[in-house]
Amino acid sequence: KIDLGVSMKSLITVKAGSNVCLEANVFGKPMPKVTWKKNGELVKLADGVKITSQRNYCSLELFSVRRHESGEYTITAENASGSKSANIKLKVLDKPGPPASVKITGVYSDRVTLVWDPPLEDGGSDITNYIVDKRETSRPNWAQ
């Protein structure tokens, strides 16, 4: 049996650079072997990853998370009696990347026309606006 806390049952959303602890209580006789997977791939111990099992408490700690650590994490408990799994969804928010394929489509005496595609990396949420800086040739500073 795997018990997830209330906070583990809904989508967990954190900012990039945060530490995250995914946790569950695991019960069974004999004591089950616990494994963690991310999007179906076994989670391996590495820098920034800590897996803990103490009695019935199991946790997967992720330190300084990045966008690529978003996904569905699955904890599986297996013993001679069978196996049980539970899923935890993690979403890591970060700054979006720069716009892609920026092109100048028109140059005039008092303005320029630009077109671009959305960034390849959206940072985990919808892009709602862009900020364009400009600088007149006669001025040393850029303005928005």
Side-chain angles (χ1 to χ4, degrees):
K1 175 180 164 183
I2 298 176
D3 280 342
L4 294 179
V6 174
S7 63
M8 297 290 123
K9 290 182 180 177
S10 56
L11 176 67
I12 299 168
T13 304
V14 297
K15 289 184 178 180
S18 300
N19 296 336
V20 178
C21 184
L22 308 179
E23 53 193 8
N25 289 306
V26 176
F27 304 94
K29 286 189 181 182
M31 190 60 188
K33 178 184 178 224
V34 174
T35 56
W36 288 91
K37 291 183 179 178
K38 178 192 161 219
N39 299 329
E41 299 282 323
L42 197 62
V43 174
K44 296 177 183 160
L45 286 176
D47 283 347
V49 177
K50 181 181 175 188
I51 298 173
T52 305
S53 290
Q54 295 176 346
R55 294 193 185 183
N56 297 331
Y57 174 79
C58 298
S59 69
L60 171 64
E61 291 179 83
L62 305 169
F63 302 99
S64 297
V65 293
R66 303 261 178 251
R67 278 277 301 138
H68 70 271
E69 289 167 296
S70 293
E72 185 171 71
Y73 289 81
T74 303
I75 180 172
T76 303
E78 256 183 300
N79 66 11
S81 301
S83 71
K84 291 283 184 186
S85 295
N87 296 320
I88 302 170
K89 291 183 180 160
L90 176 66
K91 184 176 187 178
V92 180
L93 302 177
D94 202 355
K95 294 177 187 171
S101 304
V102 177
K103 293 182 183 109
I104 300 170
T105 59
V107 178
Y108 309 94
S109 61
D110 61 341
R111 66 189 184 281
V112 65
T113 304
L114 304 171
V115 295
W116 59 81
D117 292 326
L120 299 174
E121 183 58 56
D122 65 7
S125 62
D126 294 335
I127 304 292
T128 58
N129 66 303
Y130 295 91
I131 298 172
V132 178
D133 290 342
K134 66 174 183 163
R135 184 179 68 84
E136 295 179 34
T137 55
S138 61
R139 298 193 179 214
N141 296 328
W142 288 83
Q144 291 183 353

